[in-house]
Amino acid sequence: MNSVTKIKFCGLTSYDEVAFAKKNNIYWIGFIFAKGSSRFIEIGKAKEIISKFDNCLNIVGVFVDANDDWIKLALEAGINYIQLHGEESPERCEEIKSLFKTPIIKAIPIEKEEDLKNIEFYNDVCDYFLLDKKNVNNEGFNGGTGENFDWNIISKNKEWLNKYKPWILSGGLNIHNVQEAIRLTGTKAIDVSSGIEYNPGSKCIELMELFIKEVNKKV
């Protein structure tokens, strides 16, 4: 049973979604603060939702090359993790971590095995890595596409990865493939967004429930 697998539900936009996640002990709840994303949430709305939960949740704010003022507003709204999902350099990550004293999750887009090696440059300036599918078309954002990268890249590098900060598996996970992803990669944490949606940006409570059951299913 994969009861130790931490789950991150990302791209939530409503009170009901967050309440369901809390009820089911989802470890991280992600709000997307990148304008242009179909899962974008206004900071004011996020603050209103967060205020109803008595500071008892791990709330991740997802940013893409954001400035300090935008990150500060989100922190004031109640997020307590910063996920950097853009082209932020190690120097920029260090700057953000130093300025806001908040745990950093750095997304590492992956298409080929050499992409994984980029974590070496970020290990000292983040607290977690999020290994996600690279957008090879250079249009839109990395991740959130419903596609996965080749998990064998992780499978072949498990021992090497253990030398670095903890990592979260992301990219194209759903109720049909999450068990295979866990088996192949040995991941202790997973991130899902499009896999709990029928339509982009609209979460489905039924799929959220099925995803949790699938992760924790005896195999």
Side-chain angles (χ1 to χ4, degrees):
M1 184 174 177
N2 296 306
S3 58
V4 298
T5 308
K6 295 176 180 175
I7 299 175
K8 175 171 174 274
F9 278 169
C10 202
L12 304 193
T13 57
S14 75
Y15 169 83
D16 288 345
E17 293 166 0
V18 176
F20 177 86
K22 179 182 183 296
K23 178 183 176 183
N24 287 275
N25 300 310
I26 297 303
Y27 193 81
W28 293 283
I29 289 159
F31 288 132
I32 308 292
F33 296 121
K35 293 180 180 178
S37 168
S38 61
R39 304 170 183 97
F40 172 73
I41 185 170
E42 294 285 354
I43 288 177
K45 183 178 179 183
K47 183 176 183 178
E48 182 183 344
I49 294 170
I50 293 168
S51 69
K52 294 181 168 69
F53 292 95
D54 300 323
N55 300 315
C56 61
L57 301 173
N58 293 325
I59 304 287
V60 180
V62 180
F63 304 91
V64 176
D65 302 314
N67 62 36
D68 292 344
D69 290 342
W70 190 240
I71 296 172
K72 183 181 179 185
L73 282 173
L75 285 164
E76 290 170 349
I79 70 164
N80 43 31
Y81 283 78
I82 296 170
Q83 181 174 316
L84 301 174
H85 215 91
E87 301 295 327
E88 300 89 0
S89 66
E91 292 76 20
R92 176 61 177 148
C93 293
E94 185 174 24
E95 186 178 63
I96 292 169
K97 187 172 176 63
S98 176
L99 183 61
F100 296 114
K101 314 295 185 197
T102 301
I104 301 288
I105 301 170
K106 181 66 182 89
I108 303 293
I110 295 175
E111 177 67 21
K112 299 175 289 188
E113 188 166 357
E114 60 212 56
D115 295 326
L116 186 64
K117 306 301 181 181
N118 285 322
I119 72 173
E120 294 178 337
F121 305 111
Y122 289 91
N123 195 61
D124 293 337
V125 295
C126 72
D127 299 275
Y128 288 88
F129 292 109
L130 186 132
L131 307 180
D132 204 351
K133 164 74 174 173
K134 179 184 280 189
N135 184 346
V136 294
N137 296 321
N138 295 318
E139 293 180 6
F141 304 115
N142 287 306
T145 62
E147 299 177 0
N148 59 273
F149 61 90
D150 181 3
W151 296 321
N152 288 303
I153 292 172
I154 295 179
S155 182
K156 291 188 291 185
N157 288 278
K158 285 180 186 177
E159 189 173 335
W160 179 83
L161 269 170
N162 286 337
K163 299 186 294 183
Y164 297 95
K165 294 286 174 60
W167 51 275
I168 304 164
L169 182 66
S170 186
L173 295 171
N174 57 51
I175 59 174
H176 304 294
N177 66 14
V178 68
Q179 275 290 340
E180 176 71 0
I182 292 170
R183 185 190 67 79
L184 261 182
T185 67
T187 186
K188 301 298 183 188
I190 51 180
D191 172 288
V192 62
S193 185
S194 61
I196 48 175
E197 297 174 345
Y198 284 126
N199 299 299
S202 181
K203 294 293 184 282
C204 172
I205 296 296
E206 179 189 15
L207 283 177
M208 294 164 85
E209 187 169 20
L210 288 171
F211 189 86
I212 295 166
K213 287 180 179 177
E214 194 64 27
V215 170
N216 293 321
K217 189 171 71 175
K218 292 179 180 179
V219 291

